[in-house]
Amino acid sequence: MGERTIWRVGYGRSLDLSERGVIMAIVNVTPDSFSDGGLHDNTEAAVAHALACVEEGATILDIGGESTRPGAAEVSAEDEMARVLPVISALRQRTDALISIDTYRAVTARAAVAAGAHIVNDVHGLQREPDIAAVAAETGSGLCIMHTGRGRAKLADPIADQLEFLGLSLDIAARAGVARETIVLDPGFGFAKESLEENMELMTRFGELRAFGLPLLVGTSRKRFLGALTGRDAPDRDAATAATTVALRLKGASVFRVHNVAINRDAVLIADAMLETERRTAAAKGSST
């Protein structure tokens, strides 16, 4: 067995990402998210949905109070916290699943961790409010650092842009004292990656991101580029999402942020079985030489 990959998160918890993929369920407490806006926009509905996701196989619940779809209106920090904090507090009492707060605001992240969140998931990669890195460092929370192309000029080569942007984010994290074993990276499919071609190149070359030596999280769920491929509207893109889950698991992704837990759990199980068979085959060949 090779070296193990342990992701340290808040409240003394950890996840072993060495051999099994992990499902992170999307729980949007918003009226305007792109495929499920308004479905779980109150505490009771959001908690019920989150608990159903755990039953279906989610290990992490990612709670968000502001839509990140292109063109969505920003909400105030006060409104964001009013949406997410009651959900986090209720879930902390009702499940052992890990809880993630999907925010770029340091004040929301700090309040969410105090309410019980184990992970901070920043879609601006620490580069909008760098103080969010200090929250992660001081609390020992897990930290998801996502790449985005929004609001800046990108390099023409998508992997070079990933390396540059995420390299800067990791520098911010290091200066704040974030422990490296608490970090996972997300290449940010769909975030200012407007063309089908750019997203597909990122998928095809995904393995190059393993150069960071950190676990990788992906969020392809129901994204527009899947609609461009399949011709399906957002709620009908779960099968396409599951196909990307298998492909990206085989290329090294460890955590999968999804709307439909059940279909992606099955996808991960298939990919994990393939990887395990590959490991056994390699070990058998090695022992016979």
Side-chain angles (χ1 to χ4, degrees), residues 38-152:
L39 295 180
H40 320 115
D41 63 350
N42 63 75
T43 299
E44 182 179 356
V47 169
H49 174 62
L51 294 175
C53 288
V54 174
E55 289 297 314
E56 291 179 344
T59 301
I60 307 168
L61 301 168
D62 192 40
I63 316 301
E66 178 177 315
S67 174
T68 56
R69 65 177 174 81
E74 289 191 6
V75 302
S76 68
E78 291 75 19
D79 286 345
E80 181 184 38
M81 288 189 284
R83 292 173 178 180
V84 300
L85 296 182
V87 176
I88 293 169
S89 297
L91 288 172
R92 189 66 191 273
Q93 300 300 316
R94 298 182 62 180
T95 179
D96 287 331
L98 295 176
I99 300 169
S100 169
I101 175 62
D102 180 2
T103 187
Y104 57 83
R105 293 185 177 91
V107 64
T108 302
R110 190 176 294 280
V113 172
H118 305 86
I119 298 161
V120 174
N121 179 15
D122 181 5
V123 299
H124 286 276
L126 315 182
Q127 296 187 37
R128 179 157 172 172
E129 290 196 15
D131 285 348
I132 201 169
V135 175
E138 292 163 13
T139 61
S141 301
L143 180 61
C144 302
I145 298 174
M146 197 194 81
H147 173 281
T148 183
R150 293 180 182 175
R152 65 182 185 86

